[in-house]
Amino acid sequence: MLYNVVIANEVVKEAKRCNKNCLVFKVDYEKAYDLVCWDFLLYMMSQMGFCTKWIRWIQGCLKSASIFILVNGSPRAEFTPQRGLRQGDPLVSFSFNIVAKGLTGLMREAQEKNLFEGFTVGRNNMEIGVLWYVDTTTMKNVRAIKVMSRSFELVSE
């Protein structure tokens, strides 16, 4: 994660030094947890190779939530959320990283189709298109969970 910060700083520094145009697009995920579309999360899990049993479990966890709103200290009618990730849920960071990977994939695809051009830096003109500020340990854990879920599916059938 620290390397991405260093690379981003170097890109901006080189753009200023060489008087080159540079666009920095920073996504702030502060409130994005509340807006996560569950169908997209499940789609991304499928695309990443998670087994169907694991995906159904995650879907069950998502849809089992119910919410009460307190008005003057008294609970009002219960309702079921249709989107978003619950704060405090141990799977939230994994789930959100899977969703965020979708944006990264779209940007990389646009770059491959020459619809989006990265910024070239250094003597070797290395193109920097997407820097993803996600802890690599978290993605390593997501991959491990995917492998474990596949293994579990095979032995539990």
Side-chain angles (χ1 to χ4, degrees):
M1 193 160 76
L2 181 60
Y3 293 124
N4 284 339
V5 174
V6 171
I7 292 169
N9 284 332
E10 289 301 315
V11 166
V12 171
K13 191 164 91 176
E14 184 156 335
K16 285 181 180 180
R17 184 179 60 80
C18 298
N19 201 25
K20 291 172 149 180
N21 290 328
C22 176
L23 171 69
V24 177
F25 174 67
K26 179 186 175 285
V27 179
D28 184 2
Y29 292 129
E30 186 175 329
K31 294 189 179 185
Y33 284 80
D34 296 333
L35 302 174
V36 168
C37 175
W38 294 346
D39 288 339
F40 184 70
L41 169 61
L42 300 173
Y43 167 79
M44 285 300 297
M45 290 178 73
S46 173
Q47 293 301 303
M48 291 177 73
F50 281 83
C51 69
T52 54
K53 186 177 283 189
W54 185 264
I55 293 170
R56 282 194 312 263
W57 285 345
I58 296 298
Q59 185 177 25
C61 290
L62 293 169
K63 293 186 176 186
S64 67
S66 60
I67 298 173
F68 288 95
I69 295 179
L70 295 177
V71 177
N72 295 328
S74 300
R76 295 296 176 218
E78 175 183 15
F79 66 95
T80 305
Q82 302 298 309
R83 61 175 46 227
L85 300 172
R86 288 184 254 176
Q87 293 178 1
D89 184 335
L91 293 175
V92 163
S93 59
F94 294 121
S95 302
F96 189 76
N97 287 334
I98 290 169
V99 170
K101 195 159 180 63
L103 175 60
T104 302
L106 286 172
M107 292 184 74
R108 288 193 199 280
E109 186 176 331
Q111 196 171 358
E112 288 169 6
K113 292 179 178 179
N114 294 319
L115 301 171
F116 172 80
E117 186 178 323
F119 187 81
T120 55
V121 295
R123 282 181 238 139
N124 298 332
N125 289 327
M126 177 177 265
E127 187 175 22
I128 306 295
V130 177
L131 294 175
W132 200 33
Y133 293 95
V134 171
D135 186 350
T136 53
T137 305
T138 302
M139 283 315 295
K140 182 179 173 185
N141 290 342
V142 168
R143 285 187 209 97
I145 287 173
K146 180 177 81 170
V147 169
M148 288 184 286
S149 71
R150 276 221 171 141
S151 300
F152 180 76
E153 181 179 43
L154 292 173
V155 298
S156 65
E157 289 182 344

